[in-house]
Amino acid sequence: TNARNIFRYARLADQLGFNAILLQDHIGIEGAETYDCLTTLGAVAAITKRIKVGTLATPLPLRHPAFVAKAMATVDRISSGRAILTVGAGWVKDDFQWYGLRYEGFRTRVKMMEEGVRLIKACWRDGKADFQGNFFKLSKADPQPKPVQRPRPPIWVAGVSDEALEIAVSEGDGWFGWRG
């Protein structure tokens, strides 16, 4: 099965000294067995020892950032501080439409991604999280556990637009672009 392959390759990559395993975060790909990225990362983290584990890329307009923060803090704990979060604006329309979610225009999705990164950082800071944005809100949220990494796991921003690169510079720790 695909799960056996994922685990076999994860163990092999860990043994061979690869730097990271980054799993795609799509809700579904037509005709393909698509595992939930965040759940699978927790399992990969549990069976590896050294390799970093992360997403490529989690679409924040599709997944509520507070839930992403909680899941990735859990992966960071399971992995003893090896988690990497890569976020994006979401470009696969089917990911949204298959589950009845609205596929906003590009600029709106980018703004949601940027706001989502700020919300995730708020969740990962010590103490309770209050957040009032245009798209997301938290009131005295206390997402536990907090990540192992300090001040937090790295956040990379994926995208080929100028807007994505600007968010990577202003809010992120790295940029994942795949064109040129």
Side-chain angles (χ1 to χ4, degrees), residues 144-168:
Q144 297 288 338
K146 301 294 184 186
V148 171
Q149 296 181 73
R150 292 291 174 214
R152 58 175 167 70
I155 299 173
W156 298 349
V157 177
V160 295
S161 66
D162 289 342
E163 292 89 345
L165 184 54
E166 289 171 10
I167 295 167

Side-chain angles (χ1 to χ4, degrees), residues 104-161:
E104 300 287 351
F106 171 74
R107 295 208 187 289
T108 299
R109 293 192 325 274
V110 167
K111 288 177 184 174
M112 292 174 80
M113 174 182 62
E114 181 177 19
E115 186 174 297
V117 170
R118 290 194 324 264
L119 185 146
I120 289 168
K121 289 177 181 179
C123 287
W124 285 347
R125 285 192 287 272
D126 289 329
K128 294 187 178 182
D130 283 309
F131 187 89
Q132 294 297 317
N134 293 319
F135 305 102
F136 307 109
K137 295 174 182 19
L138 294 177
S139 178
K140 297 180 184 129
D142 192 18
Q144 297 288 338
K146 301 294 184 186
V148 171
Q149 296 181 73
R150 292 291 174 214
R152 58 175 167 70
I155 299 173
W156 298 349
V157 177
V160 295
S161 66

